[in-house]
Amino acid sequence: MLYSKSKQKMEKIHDLIIIGAGPAGITAAVYASRNKLDTLLVTEDIGGQAAWSGDIENYTGYQFITGVELAGKFEEHMKKYATEVKENEPVSKMWKEGEKVCIETLKNIYFAKTAIIASGKKSKELEVPGEREFKNKGLTYCAICDGPLFEGKDVAVIGGGNSALDAGLQLIKIAKKVYMLNITAELGGDAIMREKLMKADNFFIINSAEVTEIFGEKLVKGLKYKKQSSQNELLVQGVFVEIGLIPNSEFIKDVDKNKYGEIVVNCRTETSVPGIFAAGDVTDVPEKQIIIAAGEGAKAALEVFRFLSKKRT
């Protein structure tokens, strides 16, 4: 047991703390529990980016499942084991002190012999005038969360990759018209998703378009964009920003990161700091896919077990 002056209480030292409860974090928790590790999972929410996804057709074992359903399956599986979970506790600071890893949230400080960072990514912002003013007032970063609010309305999706295509596929079922503003000359993402969108009568693509402003009064009324040398306006009641993601890695300074802020790991999910592992979209592992994140989470938990076993011998 260890005494924390800042929290004025005795603190337990766990075998493992997992940060994040998306596919990587939850899978790591299942594998850690099966190996009888005293595990604490600290997270802001359950499900991670998987819960934001719409229709999923490429997760082995499920020919079709929604993101919400798959996230629910993950959580249900984790609850079969004795993992202690602290929800609604985003991590604000993480560091290593001697042989122990220290995790600080707004509510407490936790200690462990090892840690797995599986904190995923968050939506990238446009950084244009009006974005912050109209956030949650017609501008959103989650189609699956907020799409139903725009039933029968005209909306714009900003982006051209898989996340934008996924948002578009959800919104064509709900909105009157769906405009996609893509900064490049052609849409990216999976071909099958593009094909589905192009068949929709209420879908319109505007390529080579750079959004410059969101405008409105109390709520969003439209946006401005630049296409080649011309300035244009598009009147919509909803704006869905889907221009990519940035890693949730700012709370730890000690591990090596690449130029994108992703935590650098080796093939064993080890970071540059012994005892600290990382898995999923927060790392520099290529291809950000649910199935890959889950696999990396399993690998990280097995590596933690190996690391602790060597320590005990």
Side-chain angles (χ1 to χ4, degrees), residues 57-313:
E57 301 178 60
N58 60 354
Y59 193 86
T60 308
Y62 294 99
Q63 292 183 5
F64 174 85
I65 190 169
T66 69
V68 172
E69 289 171 337
L70 186 58
K73 294 285 186 184
F74 284 151
E75 183 178 7
E76 181 184 336
H77 194 165
M78 180 178 67
K79 285 182 175 178
K80 292 180 68 175
Y81 298 94
T83 303
E84 182 183 357
V85 179
K86 299 289 184 182
E87 197 175 350
N88 300 315
E89 287 200 45
V91 174
S92 56
K93 189 178 179 183
M94 178 180 182
W95 69 100
K96 193 165 184 190
E97 201 171 272
E99 291 297 309
K100 69 178 183 293
V101 179
C102 311
I103 311 289
E104 184 172 356
T105 73
L106 296 177
K107 298 180 181 179
N108 215 329
I109 296 179
Y110 303 103
F111 303 95
K113 299 170 188 175
T114 60
I116 296 173
I117 303 171
S119 46
K121 290 191 169 185
K122 59 189 173 186
S123 296
K124 189 183 293 184
E125 296 183 349
L126 284 169
E127 298 182 357
V128 299
E131 180 177 21
R132 292 182 182 269
E133 292 88 331
F134 292 104
K135 186 177 181 180
N136 298 323
K137 296 176 182 177
L139 184 144
T140 178
Y141 303 87
C142 181
I144 195 166
C145 312
D146 302 321
L149 300 174
F150 297 87
E151 184 175 0
K153 297 181 179 180
D154 294 340
V155 301
V157 177
I158 315 303
N162 273 339
S163 58
L165 298 182
D166 187 53
L169 287 170
Q170 295 171 58
L171 291 167
I172 57 174
K173 305 171 188 175
I174 299 168
K176 183 180 178 182
K177 293 181 180 179
V178 178
Y179 298 91
M180 184 166 289
L181 285 83
N182 173 34
I183 199 167
T184 60
E186 294 181 354
L187 284 179
D190 293 344
I192 191 168
M193 297 174 76
R194 294 198 304 269
E195 289 168 6
K196 287 181 178 180
L197 273 176
M198 293 305 181
K199 291 177 182 176
D201 293 335
N202 62 338
F203 176 75
F204 307 90
I205 177 69
I206 306 174
N207 285 319
S208 303
E210 180 184 355
V211 176
T212 57
E213 184 181 346
I214 311 296
F215 65 86
E217 293 177 3
K218 292 183 179 180
L219 299 172
V220 166
K221 283 192 171 183
L223 58 82
K224 296 181 181 181
Y225 67 94
K226 182 169 63 175
K227 185 175 173 67
Q228 296 174 342
S229 58
S230 65
Q231 296 287 342
N232 306 271
E233 282 191 3
L234 181 64
L235 300 180
V236 291
Q237 294 81 56
V239 176
F240 293 81
V241 181
E242 298 284 356
I243 57 172
L245 302 164
I246 54 176
N248 291 311
S249 62
E250 66 280 354
F251 55 82
I252 182 164
K253 309 298 182 187
D254 300 330
V255 298
D256 289 345
K257 302 175 189 177
N258 63 17
K259 63 181 180 180
Y260 306 109
E262 297 171 331
I263 296 172
V264 176
V265 294
N266 62 17
C267 64
R268 294 184 177 275
T269 71
E270 296 169 318
T271 71
S272 57
V273 178
I276 297 180
F277 301 77
D281 287 7
V282 74
T283 74
D284 65 340
V285 170
E287 305 304 334
K288 311 305 183 185
Q289 298 287 321
I290 294 172
I291 197 165
I292 293 173
E296 290 292 301
K299 191 197 298 185
L302 294 173
E303 291 299 330
V304 165
F305 179 75
R306 184 177 289 109
F307 178 88
L308 292 173
S309 296
K310 289 179 180 177
K311 289 284 186 180
R312 290 167 184 153
T313 57

